[in-house]
Amino acid sequence: MGLLKIATAGSVDDGKSTLIGRLLYDTKSLTTDKLKAIEEKSKQRGFDYLDFSLATDGLIAEREQGITIDVAHIYFSTPNKSFIIADTPGHIEYTRNMVTGASTAQASIILIDARNGVVEQTYRHFFINNLLKIKEVIVAVNKMDLVNFSEEKFQNIKNEIEYLATKSDFKKEQITFIPISALKGDNVVEKSTQIPWYQGETLLHHLEKIDTTLTSDHAKARFPVQTVIRPKTTDYHDFRAYAGKIYGGDFSVGDEVIVLPSLTKSTIKNIYFFDQEFDKATSGSSVSITLTDDVNISRGDMIVKVDETPTISKDLEATICWMDKEPLEVSQKYYLKHGVNDVQAKITNLSTILNTDFSGLVENPSKLTLNQIGDVQLKVSKSLFFDSYKQHKYNGAFILINPKTNNTVGVGFIKSPL
């Protein structure tokens, strides 16, 4: 069947939660008690329709205010595919939540209110999709029923987004435009009879057709070691394997590899998944690997192919989305978590703030505040082995942690070594 991870985005009241609720309702994914609760709550509020946003908004504040604050993950399936949807908030002050929800997405749905057209948050969310290198973007022009299903309104929004895409440096993005009414169900699951001028697919049909094998770049194989397996039992007295998850490419028995940071070379002898043995393991597989040589390997080390070594450096340049009320300033120190590695890090320079409306840069700012995105230079206490985020999403991302509060204060995307 395949699994597709989707993030929703859009401004406040564009209908993200309603759209997800409609998808759940029309695919018969709502439980009987959940549907009954939605019916009762809708009647209490005096609505003559079902308020599908109640299917996803779980916090009391969300239900009372009719907005999304936290990131909710919703799971549902059709006969053709399984889906995980991250319902992310639309308010500017929750931009960090949108980045979090979209960080693992393979596709993104950007909702636009047909009455309002492209607004500030549309620019911001389109920018974040570009930053996160999400290839499949669906622009769902919602509330078409409130503009009499106007083709002109839809076309104007499409033209503006296509112009916006010309400003992006991420050219692998595939943008699909679909006119919908989440409340009425037009073009969500079933084809609308109200929009004869639109000859394309419904939203669900398009999502089902997305090839999940093509949503990510084929990157170089990376195997960060999470733990060393040493049973020391009678049957496995000398057994030594290295457990972790493969990212990017794949590994096969017989591959020549190099262990970082020691730069020791060896060859893959066995690949195990629990009690089964395989000749090959692909990206996303959690496996145990044995080598032909008795190599000193510990948690945090990385196994790569000999001809696919990453960058090894203590100095790097990165783009950071700031997620804390206390601003980021030059010379501040943090813990940097890169994969399974934790190192001390110091901000050596804050060079620019990126305007998320594509209007340009703020040069040499004094600080980076909550929800802002900027370019920084860092120095870490020990060498990291990394790729740029553009080349490898897993090995090019990290988080920053405040050592005093233990809060995650920033998420970073590596650009290059210094």
Side-chain angles (χ1 to χ4, degrees):
M1 289 175 59
L3 172 66
L4 183 67
K5 300 176 183 178
I6 309 165
T8 60
S11 189
V12 181
D13 295 330
D14 278 352
K16 297 181 296 300
S17 298
T18 301
L19 173 62
I20 297 171
R22 167 61 71 175
L23 279 169
L24 296 175
Y25 180 75
D26 284 357
T27 57
K28 296 178 173 56
S29 301
L30 289 173
T31 59
T32 303
D33 58 336
K34 186 71 172 179
L35 182 57
K36 184 178 179 181
I38 292 173
E39 291 173 346
E40 291 177 351
K41 194 67 176 179
S42 298
K43 287 180 181 178
Q44 288 176 12
R45 293 182 173 182
F47 298 154
D48 59 355
Y49 57 86
L50 294 180
D51 183 2
F52 291 118
S53 67
L54 296 169
T56 61
D57 290 337
L59 299 178
I60 294 175
E62 292 179 324
R63 295 195 297 269
E64 289 178 346
Q65 299 177 50
I67 63 172
T68 300
I69 298 173
D70 197 9
V71 178
H73 288 87
I74 298 92
Y75 304 77
F76 75 100
S77 298
T78 68
N80 301 315
K81 197 181 290 288
S82 296
F83 302 93
I84 301 176
I85 301 182
D87 182 21
T88 63
H91 286 72
I92 294 174
E93 59 265 37
Y94 301 125
T95 299
R96 53 183 172 171
N97 300 51
M98 192 269 170
V99 174
T100 303
S103 61
T104 58
Q106 299 162 293
S108 178
I109 301 172
I110 299 179
L111 268 78
I112 298 177
D113 189 325
R115 300 169 301 172
N116 302 327
V118 177
V119 295
E120 180 186 359
Q121 276 294 75
T122 311
Y123 288 108
R124 181 174 287 105
H125 291 153
F126 191 79
F127 181 91
I128 291 172
N129 275 283
N130 280 259
L131 179 66
L132 296 174
K133 310 300 179 189
I134 298 175
K135 287 185 177 181
E136 288 284 344
V137 175
I138 300 99
V139 176
V141 183
N142 193 24
K143 305 188 181 183
M144 289 295 297
D145 54 308
L146 300 182
V147 295
N148 296 317
F149 300 98
S150 168
E151 182 179 6
E152 182 182 1
K153 287 275 190 181
F154 174 79
Q155 193 61 48
N156 289 341
I157 292 171
K158 181 180 178 182
N159 292 341
E160 194 165 351
I161 293 295
E162 287 179 336
Y163 172 72
L164 190 63
T166 63
K167 297 184 178 183
S168 168
D169 60 356
F170 181 49
K171 301 304 180 184
K172 294 182 179 180
E173 192 174 54
Q174 300 291 324
I175 306 177
T176 302
F177 298 87
I178 303 177
I180 68 168
S181 170
L183 185 64
K184 304 293 185 181
D186 295 272
N187 281 345
V188 178
V189 173
E190 300 294 337
K191 187 76 173 175
S192 174
T193 59
Q194 304 289 331
I195 317 177
W197 46 264
Y198 174 71
Q199 302 300 314
E201 303 166 322
T202 65
L203 177 63
L204 181 63
H205 188 209
H206 179 75
L207 293 174
E208 287 182 320
K209 286 181 61 179
I210 292 176
D211 187 347
T212 55
T213 63
L214 301 178
T215 54
S216 300
D217 290 319
H218 294 286
K220 296 176 180 178
R222 304 289 183 245
F223 186 74
V225 176
Q226 294 185 16
T227 189
V228 179
I229 299 176
R230 292 294 310 277
K232 294 185 179 180
T233 61
T234 303
D235 294 336
Y236 298 96
H237 187 270
D238 297 319
F239 184 86
R240 181 192 296 266
Y242 312 103
K245 186 174 181 178
I246 298 173
Y247 296 91
D250 52 55
F251 285 100
S252 300
V253 172
D255 281 346
E256 288 188 82
V257 296
I258 186 168
V259 179
L260 303 173
S262 67
L263 300 179
T264 306
K265 293 183 179 180
S266 189
T267 303
I268 294 179
K269 182 180 180 182
N270 310 97
I271 298 175
Y272 296 101
F273 177 76
F274 190 51
D275 59 349
Q276 296 178 295
E277 188 171 350
F278 296 90
D279 293 329
K280 182 179 180 179
T282 57
S283 178
S285 303
S286 295
V287 296
S288 298
I289 290 176
T290 65
L291 303 178
T292 56
D293 302 285
D294 189 10
V295 180
N296 182 20
I297 299 177
S298 58
R299 174 180 168 84
D301 291 353
M302 181 178 285
I303 297 174
V304 301
K305 296 179 182 179
V306 290
D307 56 346
E308 295 183 352
T309 54
T311 301
I312 303 174
S313 177
K314 289 184 178 181
D315 300 280
L316 56 137
E317 183 176 10
T319 300
I320 287 182
C321 176
W322 196 245
M323 307 170 72
D324 196 54
K325 292 180 180 179
E326 293 295 322
L328 176 148
E329 296 177 343
V330 176
S331 297
Q332 286 183 309
K333 296 179 180 180
Y334 302 96
Y335 288 128
L336 185 150
K337 186 171 182 62
H338 175 251
V340 295
N341 265 318
D342 295 306
V343 297
Q344 291 182 323
K346 180 180 179 181
I347 306 297
T348 57
N349 185 42
L350 173 58
S351 55
T352 55
I353 291 177
L354 311 178
N355 291 327
T356 53
D357 60 357
F358 292 89
S359 62
L361 307 173
V362 178
E363 300 286 351
N364 301 313
S366 60
K367 58 186 177 182
L368 194 66
T369 59
L370 178 65
N371 292 315
Q372 286 187 323
I373 299 173
D375 287 334
V376 303
Q377 287 81 47
L378 306 99
K379 179 180 285 291
V380 294
S381 57
K382 71 174 184 177
S383 294
L384 294 177
F385 8 98
F386 59 85
D387 301 276
S388 70
Y389 186 80
K390 185 177 181 179
Q391 294 173 328
H392 203 296
K393 283 191 174 184
Y394 168 79
N395 206 38
F398 62 85
I399 60 173
L400 290 179
I401 300 170
N402 186 321
K404 297 179 181 178
T405 63
N406 210 33
N407 290 335
T408 298
V409 295
V411 56
F413 311 95
I414 299 172
K415 298 176 68 176
S416 64
L418 291 177

